[in-house]
């Protein structure tokens, strides 16, 4: 990857701007991957590559002193190519091609806007709102067993967020609150077939709504207290598994815990001594689209002590 940016000077006040360009080259190779079961064995070869180019810009403007409005736009284009083969055979037998070699290319491009405003209610409290588009290009599925499932579509998201940011007592107390809603069209789901294999990439709509609260305090020199709480409800909107025929609409999206929270205390002395203790909690987390495999709520506890010098640090942690 490579990104270049040109931006207005740090001294710019009422008008700030940013221009940039981005390049990415990605290669993914599956070289002689074999899987064996009691009923048979499978073998895959694949060579995937994607090249992405983007240009972007943003302008922030203060029409009046407490109000800042901003707008940004990104244009992204990508080209993806894939060459893949698949073989299968009975357990203990010879492997034979299970489908022809696929050698395909696809192109995607998209305009991605972002805009919003910030309003300084008083020197300690700011309100903001943002509307932004998210984007993930489509691609080629090397696991595909047929040309019908080879290409998957672009994923597009509209995100809406509003919140408050505050700083009190000369930055010794910081409190932030935000609420958000994401509408995702054609979310790229790695779908399980009737044999239990990840074979196809399906495009599914989903929605996610949540709230986040963060609190940071400095009650004494060198001492930091941190607390945060988050909740998100993410559900599929219209998910029919095309391999199994099972309707998974309204199921929770995997790998997204509904609740997260964090508590921590940290101390740094002027002589370089450092100590931190904290815990991080997670709510129920599902690991499959059917919501049959899940992790019950749990908490991780962490502790760290050490010494920090100007150019190095030594720590003991558990």
């Amino acid at each position: 990857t490579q990104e270049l940016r040109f931006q207005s000077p740090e001294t710019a006040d009422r008008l700030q701007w940013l221009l940039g360009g981005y390049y990415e080259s990605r290669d993914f190779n599956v070289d002689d991957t074999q899987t064996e079961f009691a009923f048979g064995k499978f073998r895959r070869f694949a060579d995937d590559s994607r090249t992405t180019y983007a240009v972007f810009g943003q302008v922030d403007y203060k029409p009046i002193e407490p109000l800042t409005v901003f707008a940004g736009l990104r244009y992204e284009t990508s080209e993806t190519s894939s060459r893949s083969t698949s073989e299968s055979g009975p357990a203990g037998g010879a492997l034979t091609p299970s489908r022809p070699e696929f050698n395909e290319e696809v192109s995607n491009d998209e305009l991605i806007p972002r805009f919003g405003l910030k309003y300084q209610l008083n020197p300690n409290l700011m309100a903001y709102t943002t509307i932004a588009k998210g984007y993930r290009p489509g691609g080629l599925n090397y696991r595909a067993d047929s040309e019908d499932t080879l290409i998957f579509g672009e994923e597009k998201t509209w995100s809406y967020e509003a919140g408050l940011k505050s700083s009190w007592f000369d930055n010794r107390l910081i409190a932030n609150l935000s609420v958000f809603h994401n509408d995702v069209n054609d979310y790229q789901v790695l779908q399980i077939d009737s044999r239990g294999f990840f074979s196809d990439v399906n495009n599914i709509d989903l929605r996610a709504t949540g709230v986040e609260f963060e609190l940071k305090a400095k009650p004494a020199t060198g001492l930091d207290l941190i607390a945060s709480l988050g909740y998100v409800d993410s559900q599929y909107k219209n998910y029919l598994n095309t391999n199994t025929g099972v309707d998974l609409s309204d199921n929770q999206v995997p790998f997204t815990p509904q609740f997260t929270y964090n508590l921590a205390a940290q101390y740094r002395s002027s002589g370089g001594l450092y100590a931190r203790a904290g815990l991080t909690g997670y709510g129920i987390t599902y690991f499959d689209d059917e919501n049959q495999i899940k992790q019950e709520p749990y908490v991780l506890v962490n502790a760290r002590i050490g010494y920090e010098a100007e150019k190095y640090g030594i720590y003991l942690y558990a």
Side-chain angles (χ1 to χ4, degrees), residues 231-276:
Y231 168 80
V232 61
D233 178 36
S234 56
Q235 295 181 334
Y236 291 121
K237 293 169 64 174
N238 59 343
Y239 187 1
L240 179 68
N241 188 313
T242 55
N243 284 319
T244 64
V246 177
D247 188 355
L248 302 173
S249 302
D250 299 327
N251 280 15
Q252 293 289 319
V253 178
F255 307 106
T256 306
Q258 286 187 309
F259 286 97
T260 56
Y261 57 91
N262 178 58
L263 296 171
Q266 177 177 288
Y267 177 73
R268 279 189 172 93
S269 74
S270 57
L273 294 179
Y274 170 88
R276 181 184 175 98

Side-chain angles (χ1 to χ4, degrees), residues 26 48-51 78-82 104-108 137-140:
R26 182 181 67 87
D48 284 17
S49 65
R50 171 178 288 151
T51 303
S78 65
E79 293 187 359
T80 302
S81 64
S82 177
E104 295 288 341
E105 295 183 359
V106 294
S107 303
N108 298 128
L140 296 160

Side-chain angles (χ1 to χ4, degrees), residues 102-316:
F102 292 152
N103 193 353
E104 295 288 341
E105 295 183 359
V106 294
S107 303
N108 298 128
D109 65 287
E110 189 71 18
L111 282 171
I112 310 168
R114 176 179 182 267
F115 45 90
L117 58 86
K118 299 180 286 187
Y119 192 88
Q120 198 73 39
L121 299 169
N122 60 49
N124 304 109
L125 182 62
M126 181 192 74
Y128 71 92
T129 182
T130 303
I131 301 175
K133 187 176 185 178
Y135 173 71
R136 182 186 293 176
L140 296 160
N141 173 25
Y142 75 87
R143 300 178 180 88
D145 292 325
S146 66
E147 291 189 358
D148 295 338
T149 58
L150 179 60
I151 300 175
F152 56 90
E154 302 164 288
E155 177 183 317
K156 301 176 183 179
T157 303
W158 280 105
S159 301
Y160 310 89
E161 182 177 351
L164 297 170
K165 293 186 177 182
S166 65
S167 177
W168 311 89
F169 310 114
D170 196 23
N171 292 328
R172 297 178 71 87
L173 179 64
I174 296 174
N176 300 323
L177 175 68
S178 65
V179 294
F180 62 88
H181 177 77
N182 296 335
D183 277 319
V184 187
N185 294 319
D186 295 326
Y187 178 71
Q188 295 167 0
V189 177
L190 187 57
Q191 186 172 268
I192 297 177
D193 62 22
S194 58
R195 302 171 297 174
F197 295 125
F198 292 106
S199 59
D200 299 339
V201 179
N202 204 342
N203 288 103
I204 305 300
D205 294 344
L206 66 85
R207 60 180 178 269
T209 304
V211 59
E212 295 177 342
F213 176 71
E214 180 184 32
L215 191 66
K216 297 180 179 179
K218 295 180 179 290
T221 302
L223 178 62
D224 294 280
L225 303 177
I226 304 165
S228 65
L229 175 67
Y231 168 80
V232 61
D233 178 36
S234 56
Q235 295 181 334
Y236 291 121
K237 293 169 64 174
N238 59 343
Y239 187 1
L240 179 68
N241 188 313
T242 55
N243 284 319
T244 64
V246 177
D247 188 355
L248 302 173
S249 302
D250 299 327
N251 280 15
Q252 293 289 319
V253 178
F255 307 106
T256 306
Q258 286 187 309
F259 286 97
T260 56
Y261 57 91
N262 178 58
L263 296 171
Q266 177 177 288
Y267 177 73
R268 279 189 172 93
S269 74
S270 57
L273 294 179
Y274 170 88
R276 181 184 175 98
L279 62 85
T280 304
Y282 301 89
I284 293 176
T285 305
Y286 294 99
F287 295 113
D288 65 331
D289 294 328
E290 289 80 6
N291 289 176
Q292 299 296 313
I293 305 172
K294 65 181 180 180
Q295 168 76 62
E296 296 294 342
Y298 67 97
V299 175
L300 298 178
V301 180
N302 301 282
R304 180 187 293 253
I305 60 173
Y307 174 77
E308 295 180 331
E310 183 179 355
K311 296 184 178 180
Y312 68 90
I314 301 173
Y315 306 95
L316 175 69

